[in-house]
Amino acid sequence: QVQLVESGGGLVQAGGSLRLSCAASGRTFSSYDMGWFRQAPGKERDFIAAINWRGTSTYYTDSVKGRFTISRDNGKNTVYLQMRSLKVEDTAIYYCAAGSPAITLTRVKYDNWGQGTQVTVSS
């Protein structure tokens, strides 16, 4: 079990940037593959991005490719989501999650979740 706490959300104008952070504790952070998800009002929780335990491989959903960057600093037990060129449709609660390393990042089964942080993009 690992405990995850997101931070860095807020209100930003369309076209702007935000960096979300997810701080981990409880178990060895570097042993987990990590992911970011988001949930808009009235919608299901959707996958955004993933990074493997070494930080050497990433995977993104098409809607954020070229705009969002996932990274991690295992020395600080933290994973980041750098969001650029934000759009109104990016408005959602953003969650980080941890799972046991999988053979590919599309197969990670996430079983540890943070509480979420709100991101609101205005026009």
Side-chain angles (χ1 to χ4, degrees):
Q1 181 74 273
V2 61
Q3 290 74 51
L4 305 173
V5 179
E6 302 96 332
S7 62
L11 177 64
V12 64
Q13 192 169 350
S17 299
L18 278 177
R19 187 181 71 165
L20 306 183
S21 299
C22 176
S25 63
R27 293 289 300 275
T28 304
F29 171 73
S30 61
S31 68
Y32 293 93
D33 287 350
M34 300 293 297
W36 283 97
F37 294 73
R38 67 186 180 187
Q39 186 170 23
K43 302 291 186 179
E44 66 181 8
R45 190 172 300 184
D46 292 328
F47 168 81
I48 302 170
I51 188 167
N52 73 336
W53 68 277
R54 296 185 64 182
T56 56
S57 181
T58 59
Y59 180 77
Y60 300 91
T61 192
D62 286 344
S63 63
V64 307
K65 286 181 180 176
R67 299 190 299 123
F68 291 10
T69 302
I70 187 171
S71 62
R72 68 193 299 164
D73 186 338
N74 288 344
K76 296 182 178 179
N77 295 330
T78 303
V79 62
Y80 304 95
L81 185 69
Q82 178 67 57
M83 305 184 293
R84 299 181 176 89
S85 300
L86 282 162
K87 305 174 180 179
V88 172
E89 52 263 43
D90 293 320
T91 295
I93 301 174
Y94 284 70
Y95 301 87
C96 69
S100 297
I103 192 165
T104 71
L105 289 174
T106 59
R107 296 185 178 186
V108 178
K109 304 300 182 183
Y110 300 96
D111 54 10
N112 293 273
W113 295 83
Q115 84 290 345
T117 186
Q118 177 71 50
V119 172
T120 302
V121 184
S122 66
S123 61

